[in-house]
């Protein structure tokens, strides 16, 4: 879960957790996240949306410190607005990811945040970029947060290149549900954002709407 910053951070190790995911499909991308936010050992928000818009068809998934991650997202959102006005057209997904990477690297000693960038543009279609401490790499799918360690193998096995929109949405929801059931730091509801050439679709899956598996 994302963490709210508190005075104890001055003397204690920062512990964060969440589950974020982004997956490309044929013609677009699906981003998803859990919704739990903590402050120390307490859950302070069960329904925070960790999928933040950077531009009309570019979003990012947030993990780490809530304040740090949101600050990066807001800074990139502003810079992309200026960039698109200067160009006279919508920015590229790679441009957004590069801005996130630059800020993450410049302030890597001060900020505790990891953002996954996903979106659609006229040149590259649906794209997913992982950004971490100056890293920038395009991937067919990306995972982040403490819950990711439980589901990497599942996503490796179930991902299919060229899959359709509906199948990819189902894959993201299944992966989030598995991570949330195993990781004590992830939970709440599941947020989904689907982006393609037709626009953006946002969905929320409540706890009783999430799929269950054999041991649940």
């Amino acid at each position: 879960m994302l963490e709210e910053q508190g005075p104890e951070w001055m003397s204690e190790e920062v512990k964060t957790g969440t589950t974020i995911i982004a997956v490309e499909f044929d013609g677009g991308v699906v981003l998803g996240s859990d919704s739990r936010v903590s402050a120390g050992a307490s859950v302070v928000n069960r329904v925070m949306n960790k999928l933040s818009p950077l531009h009309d068809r570019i979003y990012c998934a947030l993990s780490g410190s809530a304040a740090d991650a949101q600050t990066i997202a807001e800074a990139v959102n502003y810079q992309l607005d200026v960039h698109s006005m200067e160009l006279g057209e919508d920015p590229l997904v790679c441009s957004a990811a590069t801005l996130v990477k630059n800020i993450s690297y410049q302030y890597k000693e001060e900020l505790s945040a990891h953002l996954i960038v996903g979106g659609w543009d006229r040149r590259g279609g649906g794209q997913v970029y992982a950004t971490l401490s100056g890293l920038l790499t395009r991937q067919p799918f990306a995972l982040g947060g403490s819950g990711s360690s439980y589901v990497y193998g599942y996503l490796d096995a179930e991902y299919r290149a060229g899959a359709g929109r509906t199948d990819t949405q189902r894959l993201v929801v299944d992966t989030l549900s598995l991570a949330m059931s195993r990781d004590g730091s992830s939970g709440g509801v599941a947020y989904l954002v689907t982006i393609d050439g037709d626009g953006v679709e946002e969905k929320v899956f409540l706890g009783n709407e999430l799929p269950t598996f054999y041991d649940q």
Side-chain angles (χ1 to χ4, degrees), residues 50-164:
K50 304 174 188 177
L51 305 179
S52 180
L54 299 179
H55 205 263
D56 293 345
R57 294 184 184 176
I58 306 173
Y59 275 64
C60 65
L62 314 175
S63 68
S65 160
D68 291 353
Q70 289 175 322
T71 297
I72 294 173
E74 290 170 3
V76 172
N77 175 259
Y78 171 76
Q79 292 181 37
L80 283 180
D81 282 343
V82 174
H83 180 60
S84 64
M85 286 188 290
E86 292 174 343
L87 290 178
E89 58 187 25
D90 289 339
L92 302 178
V93 181
C94 184
S95 299
T98 300
L99 288 172
V100 171
K101 182 262 295 184
N102 289 344
I103 295 175
S104 299
Y105 181 74
Q106 183 177 358
Y107 298 101
K108 62 182 178 180
E109 301 298 330
E110 292 83 12
L111 300 178
S112 173
H114 172 212
L115 278 64
I116 297 173
V117 178
W120 181 95
D121 63 46
R122 63 199 178 281
R123 294 187 187 177
Q127 300 153 68
V128 171
Y129 290 90
T131 66
L132 181 63
S133 299
L135 168 74
L136 178 63
T137 176
R138 181 178 176 182
Q139 303 173 184
F141 59 83
L143 283 162
S146 59
S148 64
S149 60
Y150 296 91
V151 291
Y152 267 112
Y154 175 79
L155 191 55
D156 283 338
E158 295 297 321
Y159 172 77
R160 299 288 183 270

Side-chain angles (χ1 to χ4, degrees), residues 2-24:
L2 287 172
E3 290 273 350
E4 291 287 353
Q5 190 168 0
E8 69 274 9
W9 280 34
M10 300 301 292
S11 58
E12 296 183 5
E13 179 184 357
V14 176
K15 296 180 180 179
T16 61
T18 192
T19 303
I20 55 174
I21 179 176
V23 183
E24 294 181 6

Side-chain angles (χ1 to χ4, degrees), residues 162-210:
R165 176 191 181 103
T166 302
D167 288 341
T168 304
Q169 288 175 328
R170 185 180 301 111
L171 174 62
V172 170
V173 172
D174 287 351
T175 304
L176 284 173
S177 181
L178 281 167
M180 290 161 68
S181 69
R182 295 290 185 182
D183 177 33
S185 297
S186 300
V189 304
Y191 288 102
L192 245 67
V193 171
T194 304
I195 310 170
D196 58 19
D198 295 326
V200 176
E201 178 189 28
E202 299 185 8
K203 289 185 177 181
V204 181
F205 293 84
L206 303 181
N208 60 357
E209 297 173 332
L210 292 172

